[in-house]
Amino acid sequence: MTPRIRLVRLLTAGFALALMLTGVGGGVAVQSASADTYTPISGSGSTWSQNALDQWRKNVASNYGMTVNYSGSGSSAGRADFIAGTVDFAVSEIPFQAKPEDGSAPEAPATPYAYMPIVAGGTSFMYNLKIGGKRVTNLRLSGDVITKIFTGVISKWNDPAIQTDNPGLAMPDKSITPVVRSDGSGSTAQFTLWMSKQHPDLWNAFCTSVKRSVPCGLTSQYPEFSGSKAQSGSLGVSGYVSQDYGEGAITYVEYSYALKSGFPVAKVLNSAGYYVEPTAPSVAVALLSAQINTTVGSPDYLTQILDGVYNSADARTYPLSSYSYMIVPTKVGGVFTAEKGKTLGVFTNYLLCEGQQQAAALGYSPLPLNLVQAASDQIKKIPGASTAGVNLATCNNPTFDGKNPASNKLADTAPQPQACDQRGPNQCVTGTGGATATTDVSGSGSGGAAAALTTTTDTAASAVAPAAATAADPAVAAASNTAVYDANGSVVSGATSGSAVAVSKPLALSDTGFGAQQIVMTVAGALLLIAIVLPPLLSRRLKRNSPR
């Protein structure tokens, strides 16, 4: 082999090796180095944001060899676990309560902590309703009607107030089953806070009837009342509604669970007079009107003030929009160590940037830049985490380009609602949530088509449709060995383990598949092959062409 050919082989192999070591932006090196260096961490709390957390946990396990355990036990339980020092972090939609509504002791953790925004979303109203044997997918509800349903004032689907909201539907003479949370829940707290602010007379009258003190504000524990049904967790309430026995039922739950279950959500009337679905853009627009407690040192620092969201005059707004907090320790204590802080710092950095790319497909809305900046400041306070925080120049968050905190790309491009979504005699027939089928006009009003769903929503809905069909059809579920439960949560067919829970399962996205990093590795392998095969071929050719 000539020196020239040896040089070709050496350069080709060297270039291939460099590609394999660096990957895309150092991705391979990070993955290889990180697999042995991250201490497992554990958290508990919110089911409202659990679908997003479960996807992020799966991602970091695959990409970095990182173990993040999480129990969706409800926001109240998560805060209690943090106070007890048995978890490294908690997730909640509301802050620690100085005066719990059940009269219990104030929630006062011994370990210093900070609130960190992690994902935004809309509390939706998932329902199961049929007219003439066909599922309704385009229900509309005003705030007054929603409050009356969940306080027992309205108990029939053909109530005149519901019929007024839905001129395109001949509402059936069927009882309404409001499904509420049986456990302490951030979802309950957010929903009841909205009712107490927007419809205080109805909410206070209800509190009086269930023997709660008035004036009645938010509560994490929803009072059961005649005609209601209580279920544990977001999976429990969405699972109840998605069953055959759930026809006529409606619940409040994160939009993500409706997407996963293949069921519709009600469009809610906003202050501008439009019925709006809690899509990622409508939540992003709504949160432009949110205020944040920016008083450093305040016990409610970085918590949200949502009065402006509830009453936003922007026609694109979904009025029950909010975001979820991760409660992170700012001092070592309990089970939390500085080694765990390193893991927690990298995990939270990931979810604020790269993780937000999947928020919309999972039924959430990605955080805007101002909340990412605020969250970055909290990461710096975690013992063992990097003090650099989030690098905004490289943060791959879909709402901003790292330059303008006042700009939200998702909100800037949010579509205006259609004319048939305006309060009046017409009603859009397009399906919502995880139910994309249209609903025939059966009432006095005329129909109309709403804006087409975004690619991410269509993808998420189609991805979960088979599972939704299984959950809704006991025969299919039994054949596939999926557990089916009766109205009391007892198994009637299929396999299960542990305690009785609803059939709904958290929504997870499929693996991203063949991406840029895989392409680089393929190219590197091809170059190595060339480095092995090409020199001998060149050598033989040179020998044939050399003078004898």
Side-chain angles (χ1 to χ4, degrees):
M1 186 181 297
T2 67
R4 179 179 296 177
I5 293 175
R6 287 195 189 94
L7 180 60
V8 170
R9 171 176 279 181
L10 183 61
L11 290 175
T12 306
F15 182 64
L17 182 60
L19 278 175
M20 293 180 71
L21 289 175
T22 58
V24 179
V28 177
V30 170
Q31 184 173 345
S32 300
S34 65
D36 299 326
T37 57
Y38 290 122
T39 302
I41 57 175
S42 297
S44 64
S46 169
T47 58
W48 189 92
S49 52
Q50 185 175 0
N51 283 345
L53 283 161
D54 284 348
Q55 182 65 49
W56 296 332
R57 295 191 304 116
K58 174 184 174 183
N59 293 350
V60 296
S62 175
N63 295 339
Y64 307 122
M66 183 186 296
T67 299
V68 180
N69 299 305
Y70 184 75
S71 173
S73 51
S75 293
S76 295
R79 297 194 306 276
D81 289 341
F82 189 90
I83 292 171
T86 58
V87 293
D88 302 305
F89 66 90
V91 181
S92 176
E93 280 69 64
I94 58 173
F96 289 109
Q97 298 297 288
K99 296 180 179 179
E101 72 273 1
D102 60 359
S104 59
E107 296 179 344
T111 302
Y113 62 91
Y115 297 115
M116 193 188 83
I118 57 171
V119 72
T123 297
S124 69
F125 298 93
M126 174 180 161
Y127 62 94
N128 183 346
L129 183 65
K130 293 180 180 179
I131 295 177
K134 185 175 180 180
R135 190 175 308 285
V136 174
T137 63
N138 65 332
L139 185 72
R140 312 192 312 188
L141 295 174
S142 65
D144 181 75
V145 167
I146 290 170
T147 304
K148 287 178 178 177
I149 287 174
F150 283 92
T151 55
V153 176
I154 290 178
S155 58
K156 288 279 193 177
W157 281 109
N158 65 344
D159 188 276
I162 298 180
Q163 188 63 73
T164 298
D165 280 334
N166 296 274
L169 300 175
M171 301 305 296
D173 182 10
K174 185 172 183 63
S175 295
I176 301 174
T177 303
V179 183
V180 302
R181 290 283 291 269
S182 62
D183 55 326
S185 160
S187 301
T188 297
Q190 290 287 13
F191 178 37
T192 57
L193 176 64
W194 172 80
M195 287 192 288
S196 72
K197 295 274 190 177
Q198 297 302 104
H199 305 283
D201 292 344
L202 287 168
W203 183 236
N204 285 329
F206 172 71
C207 286
T208 299
S209 70
V210 294
K211 307 210 175 349
R212 292 280 184 96
S213 60
V214 293
C216 192
L218 71 80
T219 176
S220 297
Q221 305 280 348
Y222 206 102
E224 290 189 56
F225 59 97
S226 177
S228 69
K229 191 76 177 179
Q231 298 286 299
S232 178
S234 297
L235 287 174
V237 294
S238 61
Y240 184 97
V241 171
S242 68
Q243 295 296 304
D244 283 346
Y245 58 69
E247 185 179 349
I250 184 170
T251 191
Y252 57 92
V253 71
E254 164 53 30
Y255 186 58
S256 179
Y257 288 86
L259 283 182
K260 182 263 151 202
S261 298
F263 273 74
V265 298
K267 290 184 177 181
V268 177
L269 185 67
N270 62 26
S271 293
Y274 285 86
Y275 296 90
V276 177
E277 182 180 354
T279 59
S282 65
V283 170
V285 170
L287 290 179
L288 293 177
S289 300
Q291 292 181 312
I292 303 170
N293 184 330
T294 57
T295 304
V296 179
S298 164
D300 294 330
Y301 177 54
L302 287 187
T303 58
Q304 53 201 332
I305 303 169
L306 300 173
D307 300 67
V309 173
Y310 301 155
N311 299 298
S312 172
D314 194 311
R316 302 169 297 170
T317 293
Y318 183 75
L320 281 90
S321 297
S322 57
Y323 59 85
S324 191
Y325 313 110
M326 181 179 285
I327 302 171
V328 296
T330 57
K331 186 178 180 180
V332 170
V335 298
F336 181 71
T337 64
E339 290 76 19
K340 290 184 173 183
K342 174 187 175 183
T343 304
L344 183 57
V346 175
F347 177 57
T348 51
N349 201 308
Y350 171 85
L351 66 86
L352 290 171
C353 294
E354 190 68 35
Q356 299 293 315
Q357 289 283 344
Q358 295 175 305
L362 288 166
Y364 299 89
S365 185
L367 293 177
L369 180 55
N370 63 321
L371 291 182
V372 173
Q373 289 174 314
S376 176
D377 290 338
Q378 308 317 305
I379 293 177
K380 298 174 186 178
K381 300 176 183 177
I382 300 173
S386 171
T387 56
V390 173
N391 184 343
L392 296 177
T394 59
C395 183
N396 193 20
N397 182 301
T399 67
F400 62 86
D401 57 12
K403 297 178 181 179
N404 185 6
S407 176
N408 184 321
K409 292 194 294 184
L410 195 59
D412 291 344
T413 58
Q416 293 291 333
Q418 301 298 298
C420 54
D421 277 326
Q422 188 171 20
R423 189 169 200 172
N426 301 320
Q427 182 171 0
C428 295
V429 298
T430 311
T432 60
T436 56
T438 59
T439 298
D440 296 336
V441 175
S442 57
S444 60
S446 58
L453 295 174
T454 63
T455 302
T456 52
T457 305
D458 279 337
T459 301
S462 62
V464 301
T470 300
D473 188 336
V476 176
S480 65
N481 206 37
T482 298
V484 175
Y485 301 84
D486 65 17
N488 295 312
S490 302
V491 179
V492 294
S493 66
T496 185
S497 59
S499 59
V501 294
V503 296
S504 291
K505 297 178 181 178
L507 173 61
L509 300 180
S510 58
D511 293 333
T512 54
F514 201 78
Q517 188 165 307
Q518 290 78 7
I519 292 172
V520 170
M521 295 297 291
T522 302
V523 172
L527 288 173
L528 279 176
L529 183 62
I530 291 171
I532 295 170
V533 175
L534 184 59
L537 293 176
L538 290 174
S539 179
R540 287 195 294 271
R541 182 166 183 175
L542 288 172
K543 286 179 180 179
R544 287 198 303 270
N545 294 337
S546 63
R548 297 184 182 274

